[in-house]
Structure formats: structure tokens, C-alpha cells
């Protein structure tokens, strides 16, 4: 008898968890749209409730506060994005080729999520949102950013070892590569994907030295 009750409880518990996860996703989807359109400061729980189909009171069953909702809206995508970076970093190819794959993954991810791109631009602006919200997001996402930077730093280090990537502090070069990528995918720069890849490649690739033929003399510029 006890075993039977336990068997019944397990599926019921799983169904409850699935319903809660679906409800949370619905609210986060609505929050992402509202905060994108109205701003992180001015986006209202009332409008989020209208779009998600839940009451404001129901939203508080899933999130402690608006600040908590903002943080989880940002963290959900940050976690997804880290997964894309990990996949690109683990792909086949040379270290520099895999850094280019990370660029492609970032461009594809943010292009498909315009609302999230808008939120990240607001975070970068800083002044558009409350300090505590930024602080909470920074604390939670810091570990994710650290993981992404560790992956890129290791690729830079590998590329330096095989002579493909220029000399320099691996973490500093990885940070520069990350900044360039973020600017490209978020700042709406008037560059094609191919043009940006050329800029990116020229920034991190080791300078190519041209071997001189034996007996040849360096050109002086004079006849």
C-alpha cells in the first residue's frame, strides 16, 4: 500500500513541477518583452500580468519582487548563452577557428532574441535601471561570465602555443575578443558578418612573417 502511494506521488510531483516551470517560463517571456519595450525601471508588473495571463498576485508566488523578476529574466538568457559558447568552444577546428565560431554563435543568439538584446543594452547603459537591480544581476551572472571568459582564455592560450594567436596575456586578449564580439552583436554596427570576422581575425591572429629568400636584400625604397 505504501509503495502504491509513493508511485502515485512521484508522477503527481513531476506534473506539478512541469506546470510550475511552464508558468515561470510564461511570466519570464512576458517580462522580457515588457522590460525591453518599457525599460527595466518603468516596466510594470501589471502589464507583465496582462501579457502572461497571470494576476499580479500570482506572479508574486513565483518571484519575491520586481527586482527578483528582473534578475531571473536576465539570468535565464545568460545561462542559455553560456551553453552556446560552450558548444562553439568544444567544436572541431583550430583555437582561432573556434573563437570565430563563438562570434557566429553570439551573432545568431542575439539576432534571434531582440528583446534580450535590448535588455543587455540597458544594462550596459547602467543609468536606465536601479542600482540594486544591476548589483543583483552582476552577482548572479558573474559566475557565468567567468566561465565564458575561462573558455575563451583557454582557446587563446592554445592558439598562442601553436603560433596561431598573437603573443600577450591570454586573459587580456580573451577579454578584448569578448568586448569586440559584444559590440558587434549589440551595437548594431554597419558591418557585415564577413567584415567583422576580418577585423576580429586581424586583432587576435599572430602577425605573419614573410620569409626572405637567401641572398635577397631588404628594399630601401631607393632605386
Amino acid at each position: 500500500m505504501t509503495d502504491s502511494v509513493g508511485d502515485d506521488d512521484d508522477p503527481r510531483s513531476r506534473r506539478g513541477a512541469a506546470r510550475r516551470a511552464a508558468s515561470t517560463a510564461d511570466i519570464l517571456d512576458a517580462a522580457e518583452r515588457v522590460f525591453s519595450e518599457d525599460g527595466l525601471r518603468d516596466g510594470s508588473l501589471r502589464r507583465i500580468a496582462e501579457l502572461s495571463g497571470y494576476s499580479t498576485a500570482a506572479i508574486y508566488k513565483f518571484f519575491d519582487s520586481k527586482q527578483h523578476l528582473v534578475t531571473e529574466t536576465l539570468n535565464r538568457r545568460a545561462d542559455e548563452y553560456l551553453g552556446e559558447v560552450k558548444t562553439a568552444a568544444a567544436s572541431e577546428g583550430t583555437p582561432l577557428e573556434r573563437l570565430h565560431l563563438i562570434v557566429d554563435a553570439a551573432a545568431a543568439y542575439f539576432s534571434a532574441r531582440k528583446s534580450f538584446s535590448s535588455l543587455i543594452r540597458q544594462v550596459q547603459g547602467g543609468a536606465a535601471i536601479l542600482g540594486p537591480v544591476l548589483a543583483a544581476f552582476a552577482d548572479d551572472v558573474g559566475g557565468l561570465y567567468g566561465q565564458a571568459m575561462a573558455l575563451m582564455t583557454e582557446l587563446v592560450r592554445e592558439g598562442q602555443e601553436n603560433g596561431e594567436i598573437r603573443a600577450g596575456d591570454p586573459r587580456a586578449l580573451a577579454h578584448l575578443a569578448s568586448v569586440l564580439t559584444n559590440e558587434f552583436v549589440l551595437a548594431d554596427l554597419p558591418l557585415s558578418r564577413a567584415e567583422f570576422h576580418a577585423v576580429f581575425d586581424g586583432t587576435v591572429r599572430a602577425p605573419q612573417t614573410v620569409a626572405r629568400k637567401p641572398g635577397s636584400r631588404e628594399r630601401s625604397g631607393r632605386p
Side-chain angles (χ1 to χ4, degrees):
M1 186 72 174
T2 305
D3 289 342
S4 176
V5 172
D7 290 342
D8 288 339
D9 277 348
D10 237 9
R12 188 180 301 120
S13 180
R14 287 196 296 270
R15 287 195 296 272
R19 284 195 298 270
R20 182 175 180 83
S23 300
T24 301
D26 288 341
I27 295 169
L28 289 174
D29 286 343
E32 185 171 286
R33 177 180 167 185
V34 170
F35 291 139
S36 168
E37 294 175 355
D38 300 341
L40 287 166
R41 182 191 296 275
D42 298 325
S44 69
L45 291 180
R46 178 178 297 177
R47 185 163 177 240
I48 293 170
E50 291 172 356
L51 287 177
S52 65
Y54 294 87
S55 67
T56 303
I59 290 177
Y60 278 113
K61 293 181 180 179
F62 297 91
F63 302 96
D64 298 334
S65 62
K66 179 182 173 181
Q67 178 178 320
H68 183 208
L69 178 56
V70 169
T71 301
E72 290 306 310
T73 300
L74 293 165
N75 282 347
R76 173 180 66 157
R77 297 301 188 201
D79 193 42
E80 287 178 354
Y81 178 59
L82 176 61
E84 298 294 320
V85 172
K86 286 182 175 179
T87 298
S91 299
E92 294 184 358
T94 69
L96 183 53
E97 287 171 345
R98 284 179 280 161
L99 285 173
H100 279 285
L101 289 178
I102 289 175
V103 172
D104 286 334
Y109 187 86
F110 285 98
S111 176
R113 295 164 181 79
K114 298 297 186 184
S115 292
F116 181 61
S117 298
S118 171
L119 296 188
I120 294 300
R121 284 193 292 271
Q122 290 182 55
V123 170
Q124 289 179 332
I129 45 182
L130 299 173
V133 174
L134 271 176
F137 176 63
D139 288 344
D140 289 346
V141 85
L144 299 176
Y145 175 75
Q147 291 180 56
M149 286 303 303
L151 290 170
M152 295 183 72
T153 300
E154 184 57 31
L155 288 177
V156 170
R157 187 176 289 110
E158 290 178 23
Q160 289 175 328
E161 290 173 358
N162 70 15
E164 185 183 33
I165 292 178
R166 67 174 61 249
D169 181 87
R171 182 169 177 81
L173 289 173
H175 178 73
L176 176 60
S178 175
V179 169
L180 287 173
T181 301
N182 289 342
E183 286 300 306
F184 174 62
V185 299
L186 294 173
D188 197 23
L189 299 174
L191 288 173
S192 68
R193 186 84 63 88
E195 289 170 333
F196 177 74
H197 274 294
V199 172
F200 184 90
D201 196 89
T203 301
V204 297
R205 184 182 289 277
Q208 301 299 304
T209 56
V210 179
R212 251 186 286 158
K213 293 180 181 179
S216 67
R217 291 184 299 174
E218 189 175 345
R219 294 180 61 183
S220 65
R222 292 179 295 181

